[in-house]
Amino acid sequence: MKRTTSNIAFPGLKIAYSLTATTSGSTPALTFQSLGPRWSTSAILGSIVNEVSSTWRLAAQTVRNRVWRQPHWRPRLDCKAVLEAVWDCGIRYFDTAPGYGLGLSERRLGDFLRTQERASYVLSTKVGKILMPVRGRPSNVMPFDIAYDYSYDGVMRSFEFSIARLGLSSIDILLADDLEAPTLGRADYRRHLAKFLESGVKALDELKANGDIAAFGIGVNDVGVCLDVMQRAKLDCIMLTGRYTLIDRTAGTRLLGLCQRTATPLIVAGILNGGTLLEDKAERDVSNPLAPFAKTAQEIARESGVNLASAALQFPLANSSVASAVLGTTDAQRIKGLVAGIKDAIPDHVWSRFNSVALN
């Protein structure tokens, strides 16, 4: 089924839900987004929502070295029950990626979405990572390595493979996944960025012009690549993880201003900074530079009687450049509470205190 729009909009709730494990605490799985009605065929890409805890997203990026070697593989989550809870909350935008669970995320998300009317939800996935079969993996791990390829051919192959894994006839949004120096290394980043700008963007443009997708962008953890790509290519959206949150404001006015000037919606993922914000003993984690900021935010929340997760959700949405914010939990019972947090009242003086102690 061809997409007949060049841009899409998501009015309504701006909350994203992310299920980050295909088993209870092992590999990354799928991401769900929240919106209201079906996307508009005439408006600019608006309230898109995405994704995933920083911890498991980084694991997915280095999956060939880490994920399959984990010594303890806990029982598989009941993904269907979680997805049903997400759907019951009115969430209708779903995001996934080949790298999440080495294909498991797309397979399980596709299984669920095939039971829904195609016009009732929006779907995005990622390009840039090709799953290559390998031998010798344990039977409870998907037998693939990740090969990075952001070229024209790589984008087209990734799109076709994702369609097959999902078992669906269409994808609405494609995002170039983890195209950044912290993930790839500086030399490989420069090489892959050149390929992406030279031919990968052309592939995405063709898919969009042909009606195969409605929009495209990048999904990254790094502010620098957002600036690099935006200066050389027109994107429909950006998904940025962990860099515009209650305790980490390193996205800065430069990126936010550029998004505003170019009408490029920003999707803020990782709003809990990989769980750091809510960790009970954040101050003891000397290896995490955000730990002291999390401790201070926790103290402010306690003193003010404010729900810290609600503040984390509401903060990015206060900026007009931000289309959506992302939550994540594997507990179906917590989903309703997280969605309800958008309505919590937080006084201005509490926001002022949070703003004064964040990392800039």
Side-chain angles (χ1 to χ4, degrees):
M1 181 174 75
K2 286 193 172 185
R3 319 315 299 152
T4 59
T5 62
S6 58
N7 293 294
I8 55 183
F10 303 128
L13 279 174
K14 293 185 174 183
I15 305 173
Y17 171 73
S18 171
L19 173 62
T20 61
T22 51
T23 62
S24 181
S26 23
T27 54
L30 20 126
T31 307
F32 319 98
Q33 337 278 318
S34 138
L35 37 21
R38 174 65 175 164
W39 47 273
S40 159
T41 61
S42 59
I44 279 273
L45 183 75
S47 177
I48 355 183
V49 234
N50 187 323
E51 118 117 63
V52 88
S53 109
S54 299
T55 301
W56 283 118
R57 186 165 184 187
L58 290 172
Q61 293 163 2
T62 55
V63 69
R64 81 185 75 177
N65 296 321
R66 293 187 189 174
V67 169
W68 72 274
R69 292 179 184 171
Q70 291 185 42
H72 301 293
W73 189 272
R74 287 180 274 174
R76 171 175 171 166
L77 280 173
D78 186 351
C79 290
K80 185 174 184 291
V82 175
L83 284 162
E84 287 174 346
V86 169
W87 189 273
D88 289 344
C89 285
I91 294 171
R92 294 295 182 272
Y93 179 85
F94 296 77
D95 175 80
T96 180
Y100 300 164
L102 294 176
L104 279 177
S105 171
E106 289 183 322
R107 289 172 57 183
R108 292 176 183 172
L109 179 56
D111 288 346
F112 175 78
L113 291 179
R114 276 195 304 280
T115 67
Q116 312 299 333
E117 291 291 332
R118 183 60 184 92
S120 66
Y121 64 86
V122 171
L123 170 66
S124 68
T125 190
K126 315 293 192 307
V127 295
K129 296 179 181 179
I130 306 295
L131 300 186
M132 307 298 292
V134 294
R135 296 182 179 181
R137 293 286 167 85
S139 60
N140 56 5
V141 179
M142 297 294 280
F144 301 105
D145 270 347
I146 289 175
Y148 294 94
D149 190 345
Y150 300 90
S151 68
Y152 180 97
D153 289 342
V155 168
M156 291 300 192
R157 289 176 67 202
S158 185
F159 171 71
E160 292 169 359
F161 292 161
S162 287
I163 285 285
R165 278 190 296 268
L166 287 160
L168 298 170
S169 61
S170 61
I171 294 167
D172 298 302
I173 307 168
L174 286 181
L175 301 167
D177 194 13
D178 295 332
L179 178 59
E180 57 196 1
T183 297
L184 302 169
R186 187 151 298 278
D188 282 343
Y189 164 65
R190 291 195 188 104
R191 178 170 59 85
H192 285 301
L193 178 62
K195 281 285 187 184
F196 179 68
L197 293 171
E198 172 188 313
S199 64
V201 171
K202 180 182 178 183
L204 292 168
D205 272 328
E206 285 188 12
L207 289 169
K208 182 176 171 181
N210 292 337
D212 296 312
I213 61 173
F216 66 84
I218 57 176
V220 296
N221 305 272
D222 183 66
V223 175
V225 69
C226 298
L227 299 171
D228 284 349
V229 175
M230 289 180 74
Q231 289 168 2
R232 296 181 246 184
K234 178 67 178 91
L235 304 176
D236 296 310
C237 59
I238 288 176
M239 179 205 313
L240 181 65
T241 299
R243 297 296 177 260
Y244 189 61
T245 68
L246 193 65
I247 58 175
D248 186 337
R249 316 287 177 83
T250 51
T253 56
R254 187 178 178 192
L255 177 58
L256 291 168
L258 187 55
C259 286
Q260 186 172 30
R261 290 194 301 275
T262 58
T264 306
L266 182 66
I267 308 159
V268 176
I271 64 170
L272 301 181
N273 291 100
T276 298
L277 180 63
L278 303 183
E279 286 177 1
D280 292 335
K281 299 177 180 178
E283 72 276 9
R284 299 185 186 179
D285 187 359
V286 295
S287 65
N288 187 342
L290 287 176
F293 297 94
K295 180 178 182 292
T296 304
Q298 291 168 6
E299 292 171 351
I300 292 171
R302 277 195 300 270
E303 294 167 4
S304 307
V306 164
N307 184 299
L308 194 55
S310 296
L313 169 62
Q314 292 182 35
F315 164 73
L317 293 175
N319 190 294
S320 61
S321 296
V322 175
S324 305
V326 180
L327 292 174
T329 176
T330 57
D331 184 346
Q333 296 304 313
R334 291 191 61 198
I335 296 170
K336 290 182 180 179
L338 291 168
V339 171
I342 191 69
K343 300 178 181 178
D344 289 355
I346 300 175
D348 290 343
H349 72 272
V350 177
W351 285 119
S352 296
R353 292 188 66 188
F354 282 134
N355 293 341
S356 69
V357 300
L359 174 65
N360 289 286

